[in-house]
């Protein structure tokens, strides 16, 4: 189910009050003067470039004293940044905004911590002084309606969503299959499909309407959680952008995501990761002497991944004794959940993980993993034969390899 790992970012747009000073001279630098309420002294505040879909590093970091913090710097042009507020306990709050060379004031109140998660809501946020951010808020206004639509869809089908989630945790494939034949589940699938069709159309139209400048690619980057090399919609949008938009900072960032260098036909990138018992295995070690290796990127929380496991298990049982190996690379960050999923689904092949999640896993970046499930087929020569096959296509490809 896509609602468990969908590609559109679900961030509720916070309506803020903005002050634009009239008759001000353009500044050559930026200065952010911040005031935080409810955060303790020595809370860290950092600035990180965002919306590039890259693992960006913090550019600046300071600490809060008497509720205040300041950043001073210079930009070539306005960019989208993430301001992160992190308490000594590790609890964080974040706020994304357009930073430009001007005098900017920021204030926020510490809200409640999310249940079971190290995040706090930032309340009563006010950011003043960035003209570009005001434009950004206007262009992103459509997200408020989309987010509310998504909330309404989830609330209308809350019982069914909870039920399928519980069944997947229990791992009984027959019970899951039977439930998927019920009217409740079919209505959920229909409502989900209609919701995402609306989301896709609104975002597509908003991006296309801004295709003459950097706003087009920025809006697309900001409203997608991931891209893939076969993302025809994103490619069509990019090809329709003006040259100015394509060559902009965000145009080039988008291009890297939708036109990545292919790994097919190349030697498999080497990596080493620990298994559940902390023993480190290398890809070279796991593939030694094998006719074919499947590298399966998955996670316990990914519904489509778990739905595909019976097919992967059947392939393993059929060909393991003839030289097939499977290496499961988990994108989990919770060891207990990872181990529980392996045991419940009866996944008897090799499993490794950094337990850092998909965004921070070094192997995910190496293999261009931005969404799961993702699977690579490696030949006996150590080169990548195919990727992203599932179901019948995967079975047919493996049958073909072992018939040679």
């Amino acid at each position: 189910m896509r609602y468990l790992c969908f590609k559109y970012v679900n961030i509720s747009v916070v309506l803020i009050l903005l002050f634009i000073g009239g008759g001000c001279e353009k500044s050559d630098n930026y200065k952010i003067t911040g005031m935080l309420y409810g955060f303790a002294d020595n809370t860290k505040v950092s600035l990180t470039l965002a919306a590039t879909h890259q693992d960006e590093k913090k550019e600046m970091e300071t600490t809060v004293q008497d509720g205040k913090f300041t950043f001073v710097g210079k930009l070539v042009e306005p960019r989208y940044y993430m301001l992160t507020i992190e308490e000594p306990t590790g609890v964080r709050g974040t706020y994304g905004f357009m930073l430009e060379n001007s005098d900017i004031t920021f204030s926020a109140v510490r809200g409640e911590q999310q249940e079971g998660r190290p995040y706090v809501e930032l309340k009563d946020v006010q950011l003043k002084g960035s003209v570009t951010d005001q434009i950004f808020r206007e262009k992103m206004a459509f997200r408020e309606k989309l987010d509310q639509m998504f909330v309404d869809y989830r609330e209308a089908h809350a019982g069914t969503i909870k039920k399928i989630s519980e069944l997947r945790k229990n791992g009984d494939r027959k019970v899951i299959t039977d439930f998927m034949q019920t009217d409740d589940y079919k209505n959920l699938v229909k409502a989900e499909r209609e919701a995402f069709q609306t989301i896709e159309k609104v975002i597509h139209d908003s991006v296309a309407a801004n295709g003459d400048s950097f706003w087009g690619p920025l809006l697309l980057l900001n409203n997608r959680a991931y891209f893939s090399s076969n993302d025809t919609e994103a490619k069509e949008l990019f090809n329709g952008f003006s040259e100015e938009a394509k060559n902009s900072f965000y145009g080039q960032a988008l291009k890297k995501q939708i036109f990545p260098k292919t790994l097919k036909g190349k030697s498999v990138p080497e990596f080493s990761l620990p298994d559940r018992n902390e023993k480190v295995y290398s890809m070279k070690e796991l593939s030694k002497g094998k006719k074919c290796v499947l590298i399966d990127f998955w996670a316990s929380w990914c519904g489509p991944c778990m739905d595909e496991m019976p097919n992967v298990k059947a392939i393993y049982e059929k060909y393991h004794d003839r030289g097939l190996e499977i290496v499961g690379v988990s994108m989990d960050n919770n060891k207990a959940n990872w181990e529980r999923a392996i045991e419940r689904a009866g996944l008897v092949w090799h499993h490794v993980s950094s337990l850092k999640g998909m965004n921070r896993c070094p192997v995910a970046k190496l293999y261009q993993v931005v969404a799961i499930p993702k699977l690579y087929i490696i030949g006996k020569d150590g080169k990548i034969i195919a990727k992203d096959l599932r179901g019948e296509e995967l079975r047919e490809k493996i049958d073909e390899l072992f018939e040679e």
Side-chain angles (χ1 to χ4, degrees):
M1 290 291 294
R2 285 188 301 176
Y3 65 80
L4 288 175
C5 38
F6 58 90
K7 69 183 178 182
Y8 290 95
V9 181
N10 184 36
I11 303 175
S12 295
V13 177
V14 180
L15 297 180
I16 63 173
L17 299 175
L18 292 147
F19 171 79
I20 308 300
C24 296
E25 293 184 3
K26 182 176 177 61
S27 175
D28 291 330
N29 302 281
Y30 67 79
K31 180 179 181 181
I32 304 174
T33 303
M35 188 70 200
L36 301 177
Y37 301 92
F39 289 92
D41 283 351
N42 297 318
T43 290
K44 294 180 180 179
V45 183
S46 61
L47 276 179
T48 306
L49 183 65
T52 62
H53 287 245
Q54 298 292 321
D55 185 20
E56 303 287 356
K57 306 300 181 184
K58 297 176 184 177
E59 293 187 8
M60 290 189 178
E61 185 174 82
T62 187
T63 56
V64 175
Q65 297 297 328
D66 297 325
K68 301 175 183 179
F69 70 89
T70 303
F71 287 118
V72 177
K74 184 175 183 178
L75 293 176
V76 175
E77 61 185 6
R79 298 276 168 84
Y80 185 75
Y81 273 78
M82 190 63 64
L83 187 146
T84 301
I85 303 166
E86 183 173 352
E87 298 179 325
T89 59
V91 175
R92 295 176 296 164
T94 59
Y95 187 78
F97 70 103
M98 291 298 297
L99 179 59
E100 64 178 35
N101 291 328
S102 62
D103 288 330
I104 297 171
T105 60
F106 174 88
S107 64
V109 177
R110 187 191 191 281
E112 296 296 321
Q113 182 175 342
Q114 296 179 16
E115 185 177 354
R117 302 186 68 196
Y119 299 104
V120 294
E121 177 188 1
L122 298 183
K123 300 176 66 177
D124 300 328
V125 176
Q126 292 197 47
L127 188 146
K128 301 177 181 179
S130 172
V131 175
T132 315
D133 191 66
Q134 182 187 38
I135 298 171
F136 173 73
R137 302 290 154 187
E138 293 170 352
K139 292 183 179 294
M140 285 285 289
F142 65 88
R143 284 310 304 263
E144 185 180 15
K145 292 182 179 179
L146 291 184
D147 288 344
Q148 186 57 54
M149 183 190 72
F150 187 77
V151 169
D152 293 343
Y153 144 73
R154 298 276 296 185
E155 289 179 349
H157 299 275
T160 307
I161 293 172
K162 182 180 179 181
K163 180 70 174 179
I164 191 66
S165 178
E166 291 174 345
L167 293 178
R168 280 180 169 139
K169 287 180 180 178
N170 293 332
D172 189 323
R173 299 305 308 172
K174 185 179 185 306
V175 175
I176 294 173
T177 301
D178 290 345
F179 182 70
M180 291 173 71
Q181 304 307 312
T182 65
D183 289 340
D184 284 346
Y185 184 82
K186 291 177 180 178
N187 289 336
L188 170 65
V189 173
K190 181 175 181 292
E192 180 193 52
R193 181 170 56 251
E194 292 173 351
F196 279 98
Q197 286 174 344
T198 300
I199 290 172
E200 289 169 358
K201 185 179 187 308
V202 172
I203 292 176
H204 179 280
D205 292 349
S206 298
V207 171
N210 288 276
D212 59 345
S213 69
F214 76 88
W215 288 114
L218 174 56
L219 289 175
L220 188 55
L221 287 162
N222 205 276
N223 283 283
R224 286 281 198 93
Y226 67 86
F227 297 89
S228 64
S229 58
N230 58 356
D231 194 331
T232 55
E233 181 193 16
K235 289 180 178 179
E236 288 175 359
L237 281 167
F238 181 86
N239 290 333
F241 288 157
S242 68
E243 290 304 308
E244 177 185 338
K246 291 178 181 177
N247 293 324
S248 68
F249 174 80
Y250 290 107
Q252 291 301 298
L254 176 61
K255 184 178 180 180
K256 289 180 182 178
Q257 295 298 313
I258 59 179
F259 299 107
K261 295 180 180 179
T262 181
L263 293 175
K264 187 175 179 180
K266 296 182 179 180
S267 296
V268 60
E270 180 58 43
F271 69 85
S272 296
L273 283 176
D275 68 0
R276 291 183 289 169
N277 300 314
E278 305 301 327
K279 181 178 179 180
V280 177
Y281 285 94
S282 68
M283 183 58 202
K284 183 178 181 180
E285 180 181 2
L286 293 172
S287 60
K288 185 177 181 180
K290 302 299 180 181
K291 181 179 177 65
C292 176
V293 178
L294 304 186
I295 305 178
D296 183 22
F297 290 90
W298 69 291
S300 64
W301 46 261
C302 171
C305 299
M306 302 312 297
D307 289 344
E308 180 68 9
M309 286 307 178
N311 184 47
V312 178
K313 282 180 66 177
I315 292 171
Y316 182 82
E317 292 168 358
K318 184 176 181 179
Y319 289 113
H320 177 61
D321 291 341
R322 294 175 59 184
L324 171 73
E325 187 56 85
I326 297 178
V327 180
V329 183
S330 172
M331 300 292 99
D332 281 286
N333 56 18
N334 184 296
K335 187 175 183 180
N337 291 344
W338 173 40
E339 292 180 329
R340 190 180 302 115
I342 292 172
E343 295 300 327
R344 286 181 174 175
L347 311 180
V348 298
W349 48 85
H350 287 287
H351 292 277
V352 295
S353 180
S354 67
L355 290 176
K356 294 182 178 180
M358 184 159 57
N359 293 333
R360 296 175 57 227
C361 176
V363 180
K365 185 175 182 180
L366 195 63
Y367 279 78
Q368 301 175 354
V369 178
V370 293
I372 52 176
K374 191 173 187 69
L375 188 144
Y376 286 92
I377 303 176
I378 315 301
K380 61 183 178 181
D381 60 355
K383 293 185 178 180
I384 296 173
I385 297 172
K387 66 174 184 176
D388 299 334
L389 300 182
R390 295 165 65 182
E392 186 176 350
E393 286 185 327
L394 177 59
R395 293 194 299 274
E396 290 178 349
K397 187 62 179 180
I398 298 301
D399 288 343
E400 175 189 319
L401 292 173
F402 279 89
E403 287 172 0
E404 294 178 353

